[in-house]
């Protein structure tokens, strides 16, 4: 969906391929809805249109219009507090105070998508552990405090790690120990079958399966293939002379790397890439509050990997998938086919998405800093630390959620049982108590690898070595095969007036596109 802003504060949102009625402000408070939709909209679409209007600042800070049920209705707004979750965007360039940021809604405010870091700084400056007022979430923005929460899986459950307060826990969390409630209702939560939401001992067993896939030997074999896969994708991308780095290289490259790591049969790999590059996109993705979250949004991958596991259990082939199919839990018991398929699916989906964001953030740094690009071309041994600093500066994951099982204290702040906590990796990675001049990109930073972009504790990203290798290989081959890489000013604007679009979620941090131009190397290394 997109919203077209017109003169007179009108807007016409496009939903599901058709146009909604035209809403327009008629005077300071009156809302006019003019007919014009090719067909009737569902009530949810009207509600969504009003949310967009409110978030766009079309309605006043205390106006909630009653639109009625039919196009063409006229209604006077009621005057009361703004509905929960809606905030007026702060004009660009406005001077913010701590109170301004406290009034902003991290989960809904579009103004925080492009640049959340001043918000993080303001929240941390007041207290690195504090409760935000819109959804009753305790926000952890300090480095030491974040590490404490990540490392304490006994106190903090990961059952809400992906979704947090949306939709929240299905029943009230009351009492001084909510562990029993968590286990009783865990299956009702979105993503409840995915590794990031599991707690020990189930998490321990399932992670052990995953580690069978990413052994040091397998990672070394996979890295050897990366150079070939990178060149294959660069052959197509560089031939154009310019293009979107994300859709033209980063996305397809990381998909092919994951299919190689998991041992997807050669004859099926292109089908995997096509199926995942062109899978339907909805507004209900991870971190979106626009649509109800799907309970199992990865059915395509589940089905494919389940069929592979079943086949390999019947007829082992001595390949990676056969090894996965024969893997057992630490106690020697055989997991269900579904459990094995979920582990493979989680690695495939999570590893690909976050690595794409890492690659695009790293290249953005290089095209915005020509002197840094020249330095890395001349001193390739600096690339690994450059990758670490890119991860610190722009963590692909803004944050993870936890749910407190029992009363506890973090950073001197008491947190009751049943509290939803958001550990903000992106904020912790810029904590000046741990990183000197944290807003400055320093490719030589001595403690860059201290970042927590991959988390900490039992849920530390198991694919971190894979992502680091992909970043190094991609940057090296880009530099090998080009003499210069430049940002497309036609798409992103001239220096000082850059235009970037970021994924509109509160979980992921990354560009939607990065258009570049390049000069090819005369004799590229192979």
């Amino acid at each position: 969906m997109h919203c077209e802003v017109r003169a007179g504060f009108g807007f016409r949102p496009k939903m599901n391929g058709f146009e909604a009625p035209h809403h327009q402000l008629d005077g300071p408070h009156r809302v006019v809805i003019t007919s014009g939709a090719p067909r009737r909209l569902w009530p949810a679409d009207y509600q969504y249109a009003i949310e967009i209007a409110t978030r766009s600042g079309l309605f006043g800070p205390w106006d909630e219009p009653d639109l009625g049920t039919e196009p063409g209705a006229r209604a006077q707004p009621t005057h009361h507090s703004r509905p929960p979750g809606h905030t007026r965007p702060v004009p660009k360039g406005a001077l913010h105070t701590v109170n301004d940021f406290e009034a902003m809604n991290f989960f809904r405010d579009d103004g925080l998508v492009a640049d959340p870091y001043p918000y993080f700084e303001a929240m941390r400056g007041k207290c690195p552990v504090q409760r935000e007022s819109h959804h009753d979430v305790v926000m952890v923005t300090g480095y030491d405090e974040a590490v404490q929460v990540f490392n304490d899986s006994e106190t903090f459950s990961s059952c809400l790690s992906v979704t947090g307060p949306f939709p929240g826990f299905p029943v009230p969390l009351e009492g001084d120990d909510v562990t029993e409630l968590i286990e009783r209702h865990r299956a009702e939560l979105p993503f409840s079958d995915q590794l990031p939401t599991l707690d020990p001992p189930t998490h321990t067993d399932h992670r052990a399966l995953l580690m069978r896939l990413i052994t040091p030997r397998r990672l070394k074999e996979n890295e050897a293939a990366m150079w070939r896969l990178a060149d294959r994708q660069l052959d197509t991308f560089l031939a154009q002379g310019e293009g979107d780095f994300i859709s033209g290289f980063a996305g397809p490259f990381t998909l092919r790397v994951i299919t190689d790591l998991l041992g997807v049969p050669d004859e099926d790999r292109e089908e995997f890439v096509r199926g995942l590059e062109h899978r339907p996109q909805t507004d209900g993705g991870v971190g979106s509050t626009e649509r109800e979250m799907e309970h199992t949004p990865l059915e395509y991958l589940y089905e494919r990997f389940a069929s592979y596991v079943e086949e390999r259990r019947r007829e082992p082939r001595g390949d990676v998938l056969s090894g996965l199919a024969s893997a057992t839990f630490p106690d020697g018991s055989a997991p269900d086919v579904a459990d094995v398929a979920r582990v493979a699916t989680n690695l495939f989906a999570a590893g690909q998405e976050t690595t794409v964001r890492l690659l695009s953030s790293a290249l953005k740094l290089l095209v915005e800093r020509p002197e840094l690009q020249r330095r890395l071309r001349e001193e390739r041994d600096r690339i690994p630390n450059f990758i670490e600093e890119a991860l610190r500066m722009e963590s692909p994951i803004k944050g993870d959620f936890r749910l407190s099982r029992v009363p506890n204290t973090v950073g001197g702040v008491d947190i009751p049982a049943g509290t939803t906590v958001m550990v903000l990796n992106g904020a912790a990675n810029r904590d000046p108590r741990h990183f000197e001049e944290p807003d400055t990109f320093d490719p030589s930073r001595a403690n860059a690898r201290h970042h927590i972009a991959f988390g900490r504790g039992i849920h530390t990203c198991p694919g971190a070595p894979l992502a680091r290798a992909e970043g190094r290989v991609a940057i090296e081959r880009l530099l090998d095969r080009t003499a210069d890489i430049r940002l497309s000013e036609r798409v992103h604007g001239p220096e000082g007036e850059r235009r970037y679009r970021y994924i509109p979620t509160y979980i992921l941090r990354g560009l939607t596109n990065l258009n570049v131009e390049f000069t090819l190397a005369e004799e590229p290394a192979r």
Side-chain angles (χ1 to χ4, degrees):
M1 170 186 174
H2 76 271
C3 189
E4 179 183 352
V5 180
R6 300 186 173 191
F9 299 100
F11 77 106
R12 185 183 299 274
K14 289 188 176 180
M15 305 172 189
N16 304 322
F18 61 89
E19 288 191 330
H22 184 200
H23 300 61
Q24 189 170 29
L25 291 183
D26 179 20
H29 295 295
R30 186 180 299 277
V31 177
V32 180
I33 309 173
T34 62
S35 182
R39 63 183 176 86
R40 184 172 177 177
L41 301 179
W42 292 103
D45 289 323
Y46 278 111
Q47 182 180 16
Y48 187 45
I50 293 312
E51 176 166 336
I52 293 296
T54 307
R55 291 172 66 182
S56 300
L58 279 164
F59 299 141
W62 299 282
D63 300 339
E64 180 186 26
D66 178 5
L67 296 180
T69 59
E70 294 290 339
R74 296 175 68 90
Q76 293 282 356
T78 55
H79 295 266
H80 49 66
S81 62
R82 182 183 296 278
H86 297 288
T87 59
R88 177 190 292 275
V90 178
K92 183 178 180 180
L95 181 63
H96 299 290
T97 66
V98 172
N99 288 336
D100 288 335
F101 284 111
E102 288 180 349
M104 299 174 82
N105 186 338
F106 176 74
F107 304 102
R108 296 279 193 176
D109 199 310
D110 290 334
L112 295 177
V113 170
D115 185 5
Y117 299 108
Y119 172 87
F120 293 158
E121 183 180 359
M123 297 291 279
R124 189 194 315 106
K126 183 176 181 181
C127 180
V129 181
Q130 66 173 305
R131 190 180 299 270
E132 59 86 43
S133 61
H134 300 280
H135 300 282
D136 206 32
V137 175
V138 170
M139 310 289 271
V140 179
T141 53
Y143 182 91
D144 292 338
E145 294 80 7
V147 170
Q148 176 187 337
V149 175
F150 277 145
N151 283 334
D152 189 357
S153 59
E154 292 187 5
T155 300
F156 295 98
S157 168
S158 296
C159 64
L160 295 175
S161 66
V162 178
T163 56
F166 305 104
F169 206 79
V171 298
L173 290 165
E174 300 173 344
D176 286 337
D177 189 338
V178 299
T179 300
E180 184 179 342
L181 284 172
I182 291 173
E183 297 312 316
R184 190 185 308 163
H185 296 278
R186 181 186 293 274
E188 301 169 38
L189 296 166
F191 296 96
S192 59
D193 56 1
Q194 290 293 295
L195 192 63
T197 67
L198 301 180
D199 293 316
T202 304
H203 173 267
T204 306
D205 291 343
H206 286 241
R207 188 176 174 103
L209 287 180
L210 178 58
M211 299 314 292
R212 289 286 297 268
L213 277 173
I214 46 181
T215 62
R217 176 183 174 183
R218 183 65 195 127
L219 287 171
K220 185 176 181 179
E221 294 170 347
N222 185 234
E223 182 175 342
M226 283 182 201
W227 300 93
R228 171 177 50 82
L229 295 171
D231 275 323
R232 177 180 175 183
Q233 195 60 42
L234 286 173
D235 287 344
T236 301
F237 180 58
L238 296 179
Q240 304 171 58
E242 63 177 341
D244 173 24
F245 174 73
I246 293 175
S247 62
F249 176 80
F253 169 63
T254 53
L255 278 175
R256 289 188 168 90
V257 169
I258 290 287
T259 58
D260 179 81
L261 176 70
L262 291 174
V264 173
D266 290 343
E267 61 270 21
D268 294 344
R269 292 188 182 186
E270 288 308 310
E271 181 185 345
F272 258 76
V273 172
R274 289 193 301 270
L276 289 166
E277 279 185 318
H278 304 296
R279 67 190 185 273
Q281 298 294 314
T282 69
D283 292 321
V286 176
S288 170
T289 59
E290 308 295 357
R291 291 280 190 260
E292 184 176 349
M293 184 70 70
E294 296 178 60
H295 194 70
T296 52
L298 302 171
E299 292 297 336
Y300 173 82
L301 292 172
Y302 279 178
E303 293 171 3
R304 294 306 302 269
F305 282 115
S307 67
Y308 288 141
V309 172
E310 289 172 346
E311 181 181 329
R312 296 307 192 276
R313 284 186 172 180
R314 291 192 304 267
E315 300 178 11
R317 300 184 187 179
D319 59 6
V320 174
L321 286 170
S322 296
L324 180 63
S326 63
T328 60
F329 285 135
D331 65 0
S333 62
D336 293 336
V337 169
D339 289 333
V340 181
R342 289 185 189 112
V343 166
T345 295
N346 180 260
L347 178 62
F348 200 112
Q352 193 267 340
E353 176 66 29
T354 53
T355 306
V356 167
R357 306 308 152 197
L358 162 61
L359 295 180
S360 56
S361 294
L363 188 63
K364 177 175 177 284
L365 289 163
L366 290 183
V367 295
E368 286 187 331
R369 295 168 169 80
E371 73 289 347
L372 175 59
Q373 186 179 147
R374 287 191 295 271
R375 187 177 182 185
L376 292 189
R377 288 182 184 279
E378 296 168 359
E379 302 174 50
R380 300 300 179 86
D381 60 329
R382 294 185 178 273
I383 289 178
N385 205 67
F386 162 77
I387 295 295
E388 300 301 331
E389 180 70 345
L391 284 163
R392 185 197 69 82
M393 198 75 174
E394 287 279 22
S395 172
I397 303 295
K398 291 180 186 175
D400 279 331
F401 294 99
R402 295 291 187 268
L403 184 64
S404 60
R405 301 172 183 272
V406 295
N408 61 92
T409 301
V410 176
V413 177
D414 293 331
I415 299 178
T419 299
T420 298
V421 176
M422 187 174 194
V423 184
L424 292 152
N425 312 45
N429 285 339
R430 297 198 185 194
D431 187 341
R433 297 174 300 170
H434 196 85
F435 299 101
E436 187 177 352
E437 297 184 8
D439 294 327
T440 299
F441 183 84
D442 180 5
S444 300
R445 186 181 296 274
N447 67 342
R449 198 173 170 121
H450 289 190
H451 67 77
I452 56 172
F454 293 123
R456 285 289 177 89
I458 65 170
H459 282 280
T460 298
C461 176
L466 176 67
R468 287 181 165 111
E470 287 178 276
R472 180 170 54 82
V473 169
I475 295 300
E476 286 221 31
R477 292 309 290 148
L478 274 167
L479 297 180
D480 284 341
R481 298 188 56 178
T482 60
D484 183 49
I485 309 172
R486 305 170 299 280
L487 192 68
S488 171
E489 295 193 348
R490 176 180 58 82
V491 176
H492 295 291
E495 186 175 356
E497 299 179 23
R498 299 294 196 212
R499 301 184 299 271
Y500 296 107
R501 292 182 60 193
Y502 288 83
I503 308 169
T505 84
Y506 52 82
I507 289 288
L508 297 175
R509 171 67 177 171
L511 296 163
T512 60
N513 63 291
L514 181 65
N515 287 69
V516 295
E517 302 166 353
F518 30 80
T519 303
L520 298 181
E522 293 183 5
E523 295 183 8
R526 280 283 187 174

